[in-house]
Structure formats: structure tokens, C-alpha cells
Amino acid sequence: TAIDDWHTSRRLKPFLRLCEQRFLDAGVDLHGDSEHARWLSWATQYARELDPFRNGFPLKESTIIPEVPPEV
């Protein structure tokens, strides 16, 4: 659901910032094509894509919002 995705995205962002800081503190090069840099880039993009508000929610049509059934 949108709220689950939003909560997950909100939890991932500070976690990823801490991961980045730990990598930097350990001397990991995050500017190159290292495994750590690729993972951090992928995970950051994933967290962004999970955020329903970055993707137009609730204004754009979405399968997240169920249709109201027609009156009988």
C-alpha cells in the first residue's frame, strides 16, 4: 500500500545516510564504480521510487486507490 511504501522509504533514507557515512569513515571510495558505490546508488534510488509522493500520489491516477463501487 502507499502508506507502507512511504514508511519504508522514510526509514531507508536515514539508514542509507548512515551507511554512506560508515563507508566514508572506512575509506571506501564512493565516487568510482565500486560494489559499495553501486549498492548505495541502487538503494538510494529504490528508496526514492518507493515514496508515493515523489510519484504523484494521490493526485495522479493510481491502482493504489481502489475504485468506489457504483451504487446499486
Side-chain angles (χ1 to χ4, degrees), residues 18-30 36:
L18 287 172
C19 287
E20 180 179 24
Q21 189 57 55
R22 294 289 300 262
F23 290 152
L24 293 172
D25 290 347
V28 174
D29 178 15
L30 295 178
H36 293 89

Side-chain angles (χ1 to χ4, degrees), residues 18-69:
L18 287 172
C19 287
E20 180 179 24
Q21 189 57 55
R22 294 289 300 262
F23 290 152
L24 293 172
D25 290 347
V28 174
D29 178 15
L30 295 178
H31 299 290
D33 193 34
S34 70
E35 182 178 351
H36 293 89
R38 288 192 316 270
W39 176 83
L40 189 59
S41 176
W42 168 83
T44 301
Q45 183 62 33
Y46 177 73
R48 283 189 195 122
E49 289 173 3
L50 274 180
D51 186 344
F53 295 104
R54 288 185 54 92
N55 298 310
F57 184 85
L59 300 176
K60 84 175 190 185
E61 285 189 34
S62 172
T63 58
I64 297 172
I65 302 173
E67 290 185 30
V68 176

